Amino acid sequence: MILAPLGQASMVLDRSIVTFEAGKAPRQDVTVSNPDPDTMFVEVEVLEVRHPGTDKEERIVVRNPEEIGLIATPKRLVVPAGASRIVRLVNLAGHGASERVYRVNVKPVAAPEEEKAADDGKKSMSIKILIAYQLLIFVDPEKSEALIEGRRDGNQLHLANKGN
């Protein structure tokens, strides 16, 4: 493995936090750029965050985006060397009574098998380090209400937002 050529894939996103504000457009775009000399293959996956910011927080992979109201498209994309592509996020469910939180995985994947074959037919080995990003998505409620409650436990202060 020490003698194997080392490769790496680069991916640049134009932002990592997206907020859908009430009264604004229900879609937003995130630009995925590839500064490398090789073509990059990317997969996009939506996760619903239940009970965000608590000990009970769960991140659930979404199989049917219509159930939760957020779509990320396309699910797979090819980003040529030195180029950029757009991942479009669409809030289908409106804003509702309380804030909704999602995560969107944007991860490079290994090239399809036909891309890996060596031109001269010789077998070769390489190491490719793939680093994924995770977008944080907030969908604001129609009307925001903050209701902060605090309690003291010795020299610790516990704060909780009982709002929406």
Side-chain angles (χ1 to χ4, degrees):
M1 295 260 303
I2 293 173
L3 300 176
L6 181 64
Q8 73 181 57
S10 294
M11 178 171 57
V12 179
L13 302 181
D14 68 335
R15 57 190 169 152
S16 59
I17 299 174
V18 176
T19 302
F20 287 96
E21 298 176 21
K24 301 245 174 132
R27 69 172 174 77
Q28 296 202 36
D29 296 337
V30 175
T31 303
V32 179
S33 300
N34 177 13
D36 274 354
D38 298 324
T39 299
M40 181 173 55
F41 299 85
V42 178
E43 286 186 358
V44 179
E45 177 181 59
V46 177
L47 294 94
E48 179 182 17
V49 180
R50 294 184 184 163
H51 314 291
T54 69
D55 294 337
K56 297 178 185 178
E57 182 175 308
E58 295 178 273
R59 296 178 184 180
I60 299 160
V61 176
V62 175
R63 300 290 177 220
N64 182 2
E66 291 180 11
E67 291 177 2
I68 64 160
L70 183 78
I71 291 178
T73 185
K75 294 288 180 204
R76 291 184 183 95
L77 57 148
V78 177
V79 186
S84 298
R85 294 290 183 259
I86 298 288
V87 173
R88 176 156 289 167
L89 304 168
V90 182
N91 173 24
L92 295 176
H95 292 278
S98 62
E99 178 182 63
R100 296 189 324 271
V101 180
Y102 304 96
R103 295 281 186 161
V104 176
N105 291 334
V106 181
K107 55 186 177 183
V109 293
E113 289 301 318
E114 57 270 13
E115 293 277 322
K116 291 181 180 179
D119 292 337
D120 58 4
K122 294 180 182 177
K123 291 187 176 187
S124 64
M125 184 171 97
S126 66
I127 298 172
K128 193 163 211 173
I129 299 170
L130 303 173
I131 299 175
Y133 289 92
Q134 193 171 66
L135 301 171
L136 177 58
I137 314 296
F138 294 105
V139 179
D140 289 347
E142 194 65 44
K143 289 187 175 188
S144 295
E145 295 179 34
L147 179 58
I148 307 297
E149 291 183 359
R151 68 177 170 81
R152 204 175 266 291
D153 184 16
N155 63 353
Q156 292 185 349
L157 176 63
H158 298 271
L159 299 173
N161 181 2
K162 302 291 183 174
N164 63 352

